[in-house]
Amino acid sequence: MLAKLFTFSLLGIDAKSVEVEVDISPAALPKTILVGLAEAAVKESVHRIERALVNSGYSRPEDRVVINLSPADLPKDAASFDLPIALGLLTASGQLQSELFSRYAVVGELALDGTLRPIKGALAMALAARNQKLAGLLVPARNAQEAAVVDGIDVIAVGSLVETVGFFCEQWTRRSFRGRRRSRSSGDIQWTLPT
Amino acid sequence: VDFADVNGQEMAKRAVTVAAAGMHHLLMIGPPGTGKTLLARRIPTILPQLSRAESLETTQIWSAVGRLNARQPLMVLRPFRAPHHTISEAGLVGGGSTPSPGEISLAHNGVLFLDELPEFNRRTLEVLRQPLEEHCVTISRAMGSLTFPAKLMLVAAMNPCPCGYRGDPRRRCNCTSFQIERYVAKISGPLLDRIDIHVEVPNVPFRELKDDTTGTTSAQMREQVQIARDRQRRRFQREPSTVNGSMTPPQIRRYCKLDAEAEQMLQAAMEEMGLSARAHDKILRVARTIADLDDSETITAYHLQEAINYRTLDRRYWAS
């Protein structure tokens, strides 16, 4: 089965849109192939994702898995692809089904126990997601505040793989982060330092 | 931290105020232990807070390198970066096979402080030239080129010679002229030319150190800076640059009109000191800021005089 998700790759200080495709087909021997100019941090993600899936109570696919990160000529060097690839694996192996993948982008680094670690460039990714007219962006909880600075995009903070799956199954009450509202009057802007 | 912590050095504080008011680059020269570093570290306390647009730009850069404080999603205070002099070219302006921003971009909309300027690698300093003029840096690699914003206020500090006591009336400098020459030559003419304000930070007399009446405080300086900034904001309402330090040549012609007396003074100074066209523009920009600090629309000879004064030090230290 084929799964398709949206995510972002950081290039300098800007985020570029990346599509994650995961395809699982029956095979005699399990094998995982990762293509799409993945640098070391992304290549290693396969091992993290496998254990995170198992430790979160899902089963890891034992067929031939092809993961494609597109555009193929954009170098990808970040751990933020862990979460979209994991969701792709779940979907392609029939453990998850959601209509929301076409409207929500996902970023996040996985720990082996399935919790999420913060990523770099969440603000740029939120900006890119808004410019791409997506409905929302799922980010690790510790990046939620910086991403929520961007107006006009729904930033959803997730703490773990299980919570993320819950969101896509629409079975989880989400904590939507709203940016701190600033007065819209022109001239001097009043800031409050977050405590 | 507060400027009141620095006793004496009122001349230097004035120069710092001018620099902060117009986002001009600043070079402080003086013997060791006179307060150059203390002064530089207090500059963020007199700069106005980031505007929302500025804050977004700077926060995006900090977010991209993962340096953002999790409890402060949007940066409010201007960044202050003080890299050690062992920094590499890539560390300063950005680099890597997939380029990531360097210190000058982390200091975007804030202050980049280079302490012990001649100790920096000469090549490292030279890469600063283009970003200082263009307020951004473009890094080209095989995979493509990336542009990072780098609109900053450069603050540099240095000793006048390797031992540090050249020109000090109370201590003897025991550097040979060759050593001195080699030391100051590390700062190239073109780089020096890009720094608007040069100021001497001499030793503080005992009388001033003991003095219990505090000198100018950050609050007083911030107030002055705010007056100048308000004038600049009104002036540049519909224009891309927001501070005097980044005025373009057409803007200089429009906003830095001199009266006859001042014009004559500038001409004399240019001829006598052999100043470049860029130095001429820099002097006018600084003079504009000094007039703004005075809340005056016209630049008088008095304002211009101070601006020219900030360009005379390089004659003294670099001419050998």
Side-chain angles (χ1 to χ4, degrees), chain A residues 48-125:
Chain A
R48 277 197 298 272
I49 293 164
E50 266 180 14
R51 295 323 300 168
L53 283 179
V54 174
N55 291 335
S56 303
Y58 306 102
S59 66
R60 82 187 166 97
E62 287 181 354
D63 293 307
R64 184 184 163 85
V65 179
V66 179
I67 303 161
N68 179 33
L69 306 174
S70 151
D73 60 347
L74 176 76
K76 298 160 196 82
D77 191 12
S80 64
F81 298 102
D82 289 4
L83 189 58
I85 294 176
L87 291 172
L89 281 172
L90 288 174
T91 309
S93 60
Q95 300 178 72
L96 167 65
Q97 217 176 358
S98 176
E99 303 287 305
L100 299 177
F101 287 137
S102 57
R103 287 187 287 134
Y104 286 84
V106 196
V107 290
E109 173 182 341
L110 278 172
L112 294 189
D113 61 358
T115 54
L116 285 174
R117 295 207 164 114
I119 53 149
K120 289 177 181 176
L123 176 54
M125 291 173 184

Side-chain angles (χ1 to χ4, degrees), chain B residues 73-147:
Chain B
L74 202 53
M75 297 178 67
V76 180
L77 300 177
R78 291 181 184 268
F80 179 87
R81 304 294 304 172
H84 189 251
H85 59 247
T86 49
I87 190 171
S88 69
E89 283 163 57
L92 192 61
V93 296
S97 58
T98 328
S100 62
E103 290 289 342
I104 59 167
S105 296
L106 288 175
H108 181 54
N109 288 322
V111 178
L112 177 71
F113 176 45
L114 303 181
D115 206 354
E116 308 296 350
L117 194 65
E119 301 299 334
F120 280 78
N121 190 330
R122 188 177 165 136
R123 281 186 47 134
T124 310
L125 289 181
E126 295 311 302
V127 296
L128 274 179
R129 282 199 210 170
Q130 182 243 352
L132 284 185
E133 286 290 292
E134 298 180 3
H135 306 300
C136 66
V137 57
T138 303
I139 296 167
S140 296
R141 293 288 182 271
M143 45 137 317
S145 70
L146 291 175
T147 301

Side-chain angles (χ1 to χ4, degrees), chain B residues 206-263:
Chain B
F206 183 72
R207 178 167 37 81
E208 279 178 38
L209 271 185
K210 268 315 265 185
D211 208 351
D212 280 338
T213 56
T214 49
T216 320
T217 63
S218 285
Q220 290 165 325
M221 290 164 77
R222 192 163 49 232
E223 207 173 295
Q224 290 178 309
V225 169
Q226 198 54 51
I227 292 172
R229 286 292 177 111
D230 286 343
R231 289 192 68 90
Q232 292 171 55
R233 205 178 50 217
R234 284 198 297 275
R235 177 178 313 131
F236 301 126
Q237 240 165 16
R238 281 177 205 67
E239 303 188 38
S241 65
T242 51
V243 286
N244 290 337
S246 53
M247 270 195 285
T248 58
Q251 284 178 318
I252 293 175
R253 278 195 292 278
R254 194 169 337 137
Y255 297 121
C256 305
K257 293 234 163 51
L258 300 174
D259 56 29
E261 185 193 355
E263 186 108 4

